[in-house]
Amino acid sequence: MNYFEFYHIPESFLPDEKAIKARYYELSREYHPDFYANEDLGTQQKILELSTLNTNAYRTLSDADLRMQYILQQHGLLEEGGKNEIPGDFLMEMMEINEELMELEFDFDAAKLHEIGEKSTGTMAQLENDILPVLQRYPELHGVTREEALQEVKTYYLKKKYLLRIQETLSKFATRS
């Protein structure tokens, strides 16, 4: 079952987080296995499945990155090892950063590390700034415009994942220096 439907909330990248938490607690009480200990095994199994669904829904919908990934997967837009294409200009920019990181492996320079960190942080901030209006408008969109928005979010998601890997590498350098 779709997590948004299960929680009776509209699909959104920026949902009401208080509503998610409230629904989680409401369903946690309703589907708590201890309340069904005297029921037949079929009922107990069904309640356990609903309790697990509630936990998984909450875990996914309450985390912005997991929620974004979930929505994109629900629409068939994220493929394992598939056609998750990142724009070439972005890849070129990231390739330059990766080359600079490789140079740091051989010739460490704290100032250069700081510069690369600033560059990646700035790129991440720009990505987030650019996608925010799309995320905000998404629940109101329909048809082609919604599909276009989903494609923009997919591109953002893939770029963000790439940048997070670079920032992970940067933090490894920072711990060594």
Side-chain angles (χ1 to χ4, degrees):
M1 173 179 266
N2 180 295
Y3 294 159
F4 289 100
E5 292 170 9
F6 185 63
Y7 273 26
H8 303 293
I9 59 173
E11 182 178 276
S12 173
F13 291 102
L14 304 171
D16 179 349
E17 296 196 19
K18 288 180 183 174
I20 290 171
K21 187 177 254 184
R23 187 71 176 143
Y24 169 71
Y25 285 123
E26 177 187 333
L27 293 175
S28 291
R29 286 187 296 275
E30 183 177 338
Y31 299 132
H32 197 286
D34 290 349
F35 297 140
Y36 298 87
N38 296 327
E39 298 291 329
D40 62 90
L41 286 177
T43 301
Q44 288 181 20
Q45 184 60 37
K46 176 107 173 112
I47 293 302
L48 186 58
E49 289 169 8
L50 289 168
S51 177
T52 302
L53 177 62
N54 183 40
T55 300
N56 292 338
Y58 179 71
R59 193 175 293 135
T60 299
L61 297 181
S62 63
D63 179 285
D65 290 331
L66 290 176
R67 183 175 52 240
M68 184 175 289
Q69 179 182 14
Y70 176 76
I71 292 171
L72 292 171
Q73 286 171 335
Q74 289 297 120
H75 291 277
L77 294 173
L78 289 183
E79 301 174 29
E80 289 297 317
K83 300 173 185 156
N84 293 323
E85 295 180 17
I86 300 175
D89 58 336
F90 179 81
L91 284 176
M92 291 301 291
E93 186 180 339
M94 294 305 104
M95 194 167 74
E96 288 175 21
I97 290 175
N98 277 320
E99 286 174 1
E100 291 172 345
L101 286 171
M102 286 191 316
E103 288 174 18
L104 286 178
E105 280 286 336
F106 301 108
D107 186 21
F108 184 77
D109 179 350
K112 188 69 174 172
L113 177 66
H114 180 74
E115 179 187 323
I116 296 168
E118 291 291 314
K119 191 184 304 183
S120 74
T121 301
T123 302
M124 183 71 84
Q126 186 62 51
L127 280 176
E128 290 173 355
N129 192 44
D130 291 347
I131 200 63
L132 186 60
V134 176
L135 300 178
Q136 291 170 329
R137 282 191 338 260
Y138 179 77
E140 303 150 15
L141 302 175
H142 302 284
V144 173
T145 52
R146 189 170 219 186
E147 291 303 315
E148 289 169 352
L150 283 167
Q151 287 298 329
E152 285 183 56
V153 172
K154 175 185 175 183
T155 300
Y156 162 79
Y157 175 80
L158 295 171
K159 286 179 175 181
K160 181 178 178 181
K161 277 182 62 174
Y162 203 104
L163 270 168
L164 287 173
R165 284 193 300 269
I166 286 175
Q167 289 178 340
E168 214 174 271
T169 303
L170 285 167
S171 65
K172 288 177 187 171
F173 271 110
T175 58
R176 289 194 301 193
S177 59

